[in-house]
Amino acid sequence: MIRAVESAPHVSAPVLAAYSYCEAVTGQQARNFAYGIRLLPTSKRRAMSALYAFSRRVDDIGDGALTGDVKVARLEDTRELLTRIRDRAVDEDDTDPVAVALAHAADVFPIPLGGLDELIDGVLMDVRGETYETWDDLKVYCRCVAGAIGRLSLGVFGTEPGARGVERASEYADTLGLALQLTNILRDVREDGEGGRTYLPSDDLAKFGCSAGFSGPTPPEGSDFAGLVHFEVRRARALFAEGYRLLPMLDRRSGACVAAMAGIYRRLLDRIERDPEAVLRGRVSLPGREKAYVAVRGLSGLDARHVTRRTVRRRA
């Protein structure tokens, strides 16, 4: 059973300033994520913002306009910083606010910081331009860049005492991360294609005549692009169904946070399913009012109860 600390000890002014910096980064760079974590109590929200700010730094190195060698060097420097945090060699007087905040969060909560090593490994795959022939190949990447974030987050959320199946909580958190990442990949196929990247497995692309990739507002000539999207949507839905088994294992506010973030992505998936070519015309997103509805639904526990009933019926 994973238990998170519900209330943090006294937080000094330098640490509070570091957390404020991380919360600002989160609010500016990750609206969906920020929308979900606002449902958490203060100590958990701060810890999640520290995790996000560190992860954002890693992602920004991978996405930046640097040479591959420079990116690799900077990612390894970031790994060394993570080692310092893990070894408790960062204190509140450090000049790096992200390091200060993450070090404090790791003292308060049982965060498995090795997940951030996995994130760095995943971004190194991007830097090296790796491609993925099968879904099993792509899962390795998704587990590094998203499944690991699910497991890190679980360290902050904790699990409820006596929850059934709690020994599989980390597995479900990982699977939910895969569901979110596959949704991201579908949403960003044109943007990635214009950057010379295609994340979807080459086996799937070939099956639907899409091996030429995606770099414009229309599907490749002669392809079954809608068939490809619907195939990947079904895969993502199966991952969501499995990952949502985590919700009944969390306390109310942590469950609401997860339900809100995952719910936003599930609704993005619904939109993509209804109009597959929308992802080639622009970025698919939800309006603020719909995100608010998802958050209220999560906080009320409706999503958790709905998923629990479906899981029971499926097992029966």
Side-chain angles (χ1 to χ4, degrees):
M1 179 177 65
I2 302 171
R3 293 300 307 276
V5 179
E6 289 301 324
S7 59
H10 172 72
V11 182
S12 67
V15 173
L16 281 176
Y19 275 131
S20 294
Y21 173 85
C22 292
E23 290 186 290
V25 169
T26 303
Q28 292 166 5
Q29 302 293 327
R31 293 180 182 177
N32 290 346
F33 187 83
Y35 214 93
I37 67 172
R38 71 173 62 178
L39 301 173
L40 294 171
T42 300
S43 60
K44 290 184 179 183
R45 187 184 70 248
R46 289 172 177 164
M48 291 295 289
S49 70
L51 278 174
Y52 176 82
F54 190 94
S55 302
R56 180 76 265 167
R57 178 178 295 181
V58 174
D59 285 342
D60 284 347
I61 294 171
D63 293 338
L66 305 169
T67 65
D69 289 344
V70 173
K71 289 182 179 183
V72 170
R74 291 196 179 181
L75 287 168
E76 293 304 334
D77 287 345
T78 307
R79 199 189 299 274
E80 289 181 13
L81 174 60
L82 180 60
T83 299
R84 289 181 56 224
I85 292 171
R86 188 185 290 113
D87 293 343
R88 299 175 182 267
V90 172
D91 60 31
E92 65 181 33
D93 295 322
D94 195 284
T95 57
D96 185 338
V98 176
V100 171
L102 183 58
H104 185 270
D107 278 341
V108 175
F109 297 99
I111 300 172
L113 292 176
L116 291 170
D117 274 308
E118 293 180 57
L119 174 62
I120 293 170
D121 291 339
V123 174
L124 283 169
M125 293 181 197
D126 280 334
V127 172
R128 296 174 184 134
E130 292 192 22
T131 57
Y132 309 98
E133 185 171 347
T134 67
W135 168 238
D136 284 341
D137 296 334
L138 180 59
K139 274 197 296 189
V140 174
Y141 170 77
C142 291
R143 284 211 160 95
C144 285
V145 300
I149 302 302
R151 287 178 266 119
L152 287 158
S153 300
L154 185 61
V156 175
F157 297 146
T159 54
E160 285 286 84
R164 293 182 59 185
V166 73
E167 67 279 356
R168 298 187 65 185
S170 182
E171 175 188 334
Y172 294 145
D174 182 277
T175 300
L176 199 52
L178 265 64
L180 269 59
Q181 185 63 23
L182 183 53
T183 304
N184 268 333
I185 288 171
L186 284 173
R187 182 188 61 183
D188 296 340
V189 289
R190 178 178 174 178
E191 180 180 337
D192 291 332
E194 290 174 341
R197 290 303 310 269
T198 302
Y199 286 92
L200 291 173
S202 56
D203 280 359
D204 296 352
L205 297 174
K207 184 186 304 182
F208 294 95
C210 296
S211 297
F214 317 101
S215 57
T218 58
E221 186 175 352
S223 69
D224 180 12
F225 180 73
L228 171 67
V229 169
H230 289 150
F231 179 80
E232 303 298 348
V233 165
R234 288 193 296 273
R235 175 175 280 156
R237 287 197 188 286
L239 292 168
F240 273 116
E242 182 74 6
Y244 260 54
R245 295 185 182 189
L246 176 66
L247 290 183
M249 301 175 188
L250 306 177
D251 67 72
R252 179 172 175 266
R253 292 177 71 176
S254 296
C257 172
V258 174
M261 288 189 287
I264 288 169
Y265 279 85
R266 284 178 63 214
R267 285 171 177 266
L268 286 174
L269 201 63
D270 290 342
R271 291 186 172 215
I272 292 169
E273 182 180 39
R274 288 195 297 269
D275 183 7
E277 291 187 22
V279 297
L280 299 178
R281 297 192 297 268
R283 191 175 182 86
V284 179
S285 61
L286 299 185
R289 64 182 180 279
E290 191 167 351
K291 292 180 183 179
Y293 170 77
V294 173
V296 170
R297 186 177 173 85
L299 193 58
S300 69
L302 287 173
D303 277 337
R305 290 196 294 272
H306 177 60
V307 170
T308 300
R309 287 195 299 270
R310 287 198 313 177
T311 300
V312 169
R313 287 198 300 269
R314 189 163 53 243
R315 288 175 176 171

